[in-house]
Amino acid sequence: MNVHFIAIGGSVMHQLAIALKRKGYVVTGSDDEIFEPARTNLEKEGLLPAVIGWRPALIHPGLDAVILGMHAKADNPELQRARELSLPIYSFPEYIYQESRDKTRVVVGGSHGKTSTTAMIMSVLQHAGRQFDYLVGARLEGFPQSVNITGAPLIVCEGDEYPASTLEKRPKFHFLFPHIAIITGIAWDHINVFPTFENYLDQFRIFIDKIEPGGVLIYNHTDPVLKKLVEEHPGGIRKIGYGVPAHAIENGITVVTLEGRTGALKVFGEHNLLNLHAAFLVAKELGMGAKEFLAGIAEFAGAAKRLELVGRSETVNVYRDFAHAPSKVKATIQAVKMQFPDRKLIAVLELHTYSSLNEQFLSQYQGSLDLADEAAVFYSRHALELKRLPPLSEEKVKAGFGKPGMAVIQEKQELENWLMEQSYKNANLLLMSSGNFDGFVIGDFLISLHVTTHTPLSDY
């Protein structure tokens, strides 16, 4: 196979390129900008483009597939050349399906918990010695890549509802056609793509329609919106609901019980217990029992930036989390507070996505930070400019969250000052963002607190 990537520098695009090269394919690619870690990863594999920029000459009749990344625009000269030659053009998820037509396909969808649930399934399968391919949206210990394509009979995919490419505006998870599907929950997100909640709901109805005949849908029945949507959907598939499994917290460690068997966990929080229950039901569908599942999940420490313990001292634990949508923020705050009820919780949330920075969406965050003892919301003027949004006033942000005493911060130096003013005696610090706090060097701040880091400082 001879495959070319338009926008090879993307976070998952470059991982797929590496996986296909290792499978024995001839792989080329181009991009107009390639950042770390993609640059180094591609260079190590001999896939880094010799010249940065678009090169239509790389598009030739001998290509078996052209894979189009989200970063590429509709007027991309390589894309135009591929269309002139009538070459097969695929978005990332469309191509994943092409590589997995003969595999059992597990796809994890939902507004929150997709990455963690996918990672749990992957971890228990690996622990059990199963052969499988995968696609996951985060770095995961024990897995050298976030995408792997081999001759394995099974593939486990995180299914995103965001559009597939500049040509294909339908959600990515509409192209994966699962035999086993999970929906973790539904909470309105991506308002720049789905302007109404009903429109957003429709994407999940279509996803259920895409389940292969005779397949199974595993869904969170504690989510009333999702439960109603599933109940209204016609037959043709099996439907299995799940909730929070029996568990206890013993000396800060969560112990879970499944089908009469008990095991201790490294992760915590009701949202992670929900994710775990979904992963267990998938494992059962794949022939795994509770004993084997609990042995595997006991070793699971979480995906990168998903309630990740990044450092600690004698008086404080520091966690970072990818939480940015309202439901994710609320679940993460609740998890830390319930796990450590006697500790002060200091929480910082960065508004970084189009939805979170939109004045009309802010009311969705009402109450999400209520359980924090000290809270700050950070957003940069630069992020607003990049998303071509108008200035966002401190008063609007405070009204949206409704959290008394919450700080609203727009400068990274002011953020550092606020953090340094806090007392970290018997406390947890929770940093939530899908961005990087406008370049604020969190690693340096942790050093100033005399915190022992658990993650390389370059990863902050």
Side-chain angles (χ1 to χ4, degrees), residues 105 166 169 177 250 264 399 431:
R105 295 180 295 279
T166 188
K169 301 300 185 182
F177 303 98
E250 302 172 0
L431 303 163

Side-chain angles (χ1 to χ4, degrees), residues 51-371:
V51 177
I52 296 299
W54 308 119
R55 301 166 65 194
L58 293 175
I59 309 299
H60 57 83
L63 290 173
D64 297 296
V66 173
I67 304 176
L68 181 65
M70 275 296 294
H71 173 62
K73 305 302 181 186
D75 62 354
N76 184 284
E78 293 186 15
L79 174 58
Q80 291 177 341
R81 177 62 176 158
R83 297 174 95 172
E84 289 170 5
L85 294 174
S86 299
L87 295 173
I89 301 170
Y90 302 96
S91 65
F92 182 94
E94 287 176 299
Y95 190 78
I96 291 291
Y97 176 70
Q98 295 302 314
E99 288 284 340
S100 60
R101 282 179 174 272
D102 298 326
K103 303 177 189 291
T104 297
R105 295 180 295 279
V106 177
V107 180
V108 183
S111 303
H112 42 251
K114 295 185 293 292
T115 300
S116 293
T117 305
T118 306
M120 287 177 177
I121 297 167
M122 290 167 54
S123 293
V124 296
L125 287 172
Q126 184 185 65
H127 187 270
R130 305 288 183 92
Q131 297 298 309
F132 65 98
D133 291 341
Y134 56 84
L135 160 61
V136 66
R139 175 175 52 82
L140 183 61
E141 187 175 349
F143 294 87
Q145 299 167 229
S146 60
V147 181
N148 201 37
I149 300 293
T150 67
L154 168 69
I155 186 167
V156 180
C157 298
E158 179 177 342
D160 189 357
E161 68 268 30
Y162 207 72
S165 75
T166 188
L167 293 183
E168 183 49 79
K169 301 300 185 182
R170 288 175 291 173
K172 296 173 186 173
F173 67 175
H174 288 181
F175 297 95
L176 296 173
F177 303 98
H179 299 95
I180 302 171
I182 295 175
I183 301 181
T184 59
I186 298 177
W188 190 24
D189 200 359
H190 308 306
I191 66 169
N192 53 321
V193 180
F194 310 112
T196 68
F197 183 52
E198 189 61 30
N199 179 237
Y200 186 68
L201 278 178
D202 281 341
Q203 311 315 310
F204 290 91
R205 293 187 179 103
I206 295 169
F207 175 58
I208 297 173
D209 288 337
K210 301 292 183 181
I211 298 172
E212 294 284 6
V216 59
L217 171 62
I218 297 167
Y219 69 98
N220 176 4
H221 66 58
T222 70
D223 182 325
V225 173
L226 174 56
K227 185 179 180 182
K228 183 173 183 290
L229 185 145
V230 172
E231 288 174 347
E232 290 174 350
H233 196 275
I237 57 171
R238 288 185 293 127
K239 302 171 183 177
I240 304 174
Y242 68 89
V244 178
H247 65 283
I249 301 173
E250 302 172 0
N251 299 319
I253 296 175
T254 297
V255 178
V256 66
T257 301
L258 297 170
E259 296 185 346
R261 295 186 177 275
T262 300
L265 306 175
K266 292 182 178 180
V267 295
F268 62 87
E270 284 200 356
H271 66 304
N272 268 326
L273 287 165
L274 282 166
N275 297 338
L276 179 149
H277 199 181
F280 172 58
L281 292 172
V282 169
K284 283 185 68 175
E285 291 292 321
L286 297 173
M288 189 180 297
K291 181 180 178 180
E292 190 175 22
F293 177 84
L294 287 169
I297 204 67
E299 301 300 317
F300 179 71
K305 301 183 183 179
R306 271 69 179 179
L307 255 184
E308 181 181 10
L309 177 64
V310 295
R312 70 184 344 159
S313 70
E314 291 183 2
T315 64
V316 62
N317 287 352
V318 182
Y319 296 91
R320 66 174 173 180
D321 196 273
F322 195 68
H324 52 88
S327 60
K328 299 174 185 177
V329 173
K330 188 172 184 178
T332 301
I333 290 277
Q334 182 184 50
V336 177
K337 196 62 179 177
M338 289 182 68
Q339 196 75 6
F340 303 97
D342 298 326
R343 282 194 169 200
K344 179 172 69 172
L345 175 55
I346 304 166
V348 182
L349 168 67
E350 179 180 16
L351 304 181
H352 183 71
T353 65
Y354 181 93
S355 296
S356 66
L357 290 165
N358 193 299
E359 182 180 312
Q360 305 305 315
F361 190 74
L362 281 174
S363 62
Q364 301 291 319
Y365 286 96
Q366 189 72 209
S368 61
L369 293 176
D370 281 1
L371 291 180

